[in-house]
Amino acid sequence: MAQSKLATYQNIIAGLPDQPWQREDLLIEDLLLKQENDLSLYYAPYDYVNPAAKVTIVGITPGFTQMSLSLLQAKDDLASGISLSDIDRRAKYVASFAGTMRRHLIDMLNELGLPELLNVYDSSELFGDRRELIHTTSVIRYPLFRKGDNYTGHNPRMLSSNLIRKYALHDFANELAAVKDSIVIPLGKSVSDVLRYIDDEKPLPGERLHERCLFDFPHPSGANGHRKKQFELLKEHHKEILRRKLRKSYSSEMDSPTQDSQTCRTRHSL
């Protein structure tokens, strides 16, 4: 499971200037993790992993908006004396897929019938009170920029860069192994391509990804003008994967005599 870097960076975060932040305020040497040619990787608190997640949603890398939100939450929490482990979790919860892309993503998950399968009213709850049901992450866990702009998964292609390849095939693959057997929803073709490579060349423990991954799910960014067409093409196939995996998962829980399943049974009956 990911080891948090927050203790290393807490003093730097606490000393960040007051908002509003521009890129020059956050894309600074003190937060720089790695560089490769035009690529620069910066720290933001994205290390929290939820191993109990039913669904894992995977992006390319946090953008500047997400980086800003996570660092602001961490800065405020540090000032309030909140524990580092809680700060990691809270910062990631606030920032994951924030902005218009979250609304588009929620709409698509609703169309797939995910709320009914997870016993929630609306997929927006997965980013709120029922956050324990999902894990959010990225192929590149920390914010990656190319010449100061958000990295979009192209130029360079993800696995052609040594920097990205290391994070994709080691850190990201280990994180996926920590959410074993979770449904995986990759946002965009470049993420799907990495997941296919992992499944073919470096299979993870447990069930193979091709049995539980919604390959070629569209990226929910407003800049993706083809997302609705892409979504419709595979909607029924993706719905079938969700039904098969999540109904099986909940059936197994309900049959288990453990205390956890008793708690689950009580919750689902409410």
Side-chain angles (χ1 to χ4, degrees):
M1 201 174 296
Q3 184 168 356
S4 175
K5 291 180 169 63
L6 183 57
T8 301
Y9 289 95
Q10 60 178 321
N11 291 335
I12 296 165
I13 294 171
L16 288 172
D18 293 334
Q19 280 199 307
W21 288 328
Q22 305 299 319
R23 290 186 183 239
E24 57 265 28
D25 295 315
L26 300 185
L27 305 189
I28 57 177
E29 188 73 24
D30 284 344
L31 292 175
L32 182 66
L33 291 171
K34 300 279 185 181
Q35 275 191 304
E36 178 188 275
N37 301 323
D38 293 333
L39 299 175
S40 300
L41 186 74
Y42 292 88
Y43 173 74
Y46 271 87
D47 292 319
Y48 173 74
V49 177
N50 174 18
K54 300 294 183 185
V55 176
T56 296
I57 303 173
V58 183
I60 298 168
T61 184
F64 183 75
T65 296
Q66 291 75 37
M67 179 184 187
S68 300
L69 289 170
S70 66
L71 287 169
L72 176 61
Q73 184 69 50
K75 180 178 168 67
D76 289 347
D77 285 352
L78 285 167
S80 299
I82 293 173
S83 71
L84 296 188
S85 60
D86 282 342
I87 291 174
D88 258 330
R89 175 179 53 81
R90 287 160 58 91
K92 191 170 187 180
Y93 279 12
V94 165
S96 294
F97 309 118
T100 56
M101 83 165 80
R102 184 184 287 187
R103 182 67 257 170
H104 296 155
L105 176 58
I106 286 168
D107 289 343
M108 288 190 284
L109 296 179
N110 284 342
E111 279 201 58
L112 291 178
L114 187 61
E116 179 183 358
L117 293 168
L118 292 178
N119 292 303
V120 299
Y121 178 73
D122 186 87
S123 294
S124 60
E125 295 179 50
L126 303 177
F127 295 90
D129 292 342
R130 300 305 308 276
R131 187 58 197 262
E132 81 279 2
L133 293 170
I134 67 167
H135 177 57
T136 56
T137 188
S138 300
V139 173
I140 310 148
R141 181 183 305 153
Y142 306 112
L144 182 69
F145 300 89
R146 180 178 180 272
K147 296 182 177 180
D149 293 328
N150 294 347
Y151 173 69
T152 61
H154 310 283
N155 194 17
R157 296 181 63 182
M158 296 186 82
L159 294 182
S160 69
S161 157
N162 289 332
L163 186 158
I164 298 173
R165 193 178 182 89
K166 181 263 181 188
Y167 276 90
L169 303 184
H170 183 266
D171 297 46
F172 172 59
N174 287 342
E175 187 172 347
L176 282 181
V179 286
K180 180 180 175 183
D181 296 338
S182 168
I183 288 281
V184 178
I185 302 179
L187 304 185
K189 182 180 184 302
S190 58
V191 178
S192 286
D193 288 346
V194 170
L195 286 164
R196 284 191 175 99
Y197 182 90
I198 291 172
D199 200 36
D200 290 341
E201 303 296 330
K202 299 175 179 292
L204 299 170
E207 189 171 25
R208 293 287 296 272
L209 283 171
H210 65 261
E211 296 288 341
R212 55 189 175 95
C213 182
L214 307 192
F215 284 120
D216 300 316
F217 189 92
H219 197 284
S221 167
N224 180 9
H226 301 291
R227 73 175 185 278
K228 292 184 179 179
K229 181 178 180 181
Q230 294 166 345
F231 177 74
E232 290 296 329
L233 282 173
L234 290 169
K235 181 168 75 172
E236 294 306 317
H237 175 60
H238 288 163
K239 287 171 75 172
E240 176 54 33
I241 294 173
L242 290 175
R243 285 193 295 262
R244 174 167 48 84
K245 295 304 302 173
L246 291 174
R247 284 176 178 168
K248 177 182 177 182
S249 172
Y250 275 111
S251 176
S252 297
E253 285 184 2
M254 298 298 282
D255 290 341
S256 172
T258 64
Q259 180 62 42
D260 285 347
S261 67
Q262 292 294 332
T263 302
C264 184
R265 185 178 296 112
T266 301
R267 181 190 303 132
H268 295 166
S269 68
L270 294 178

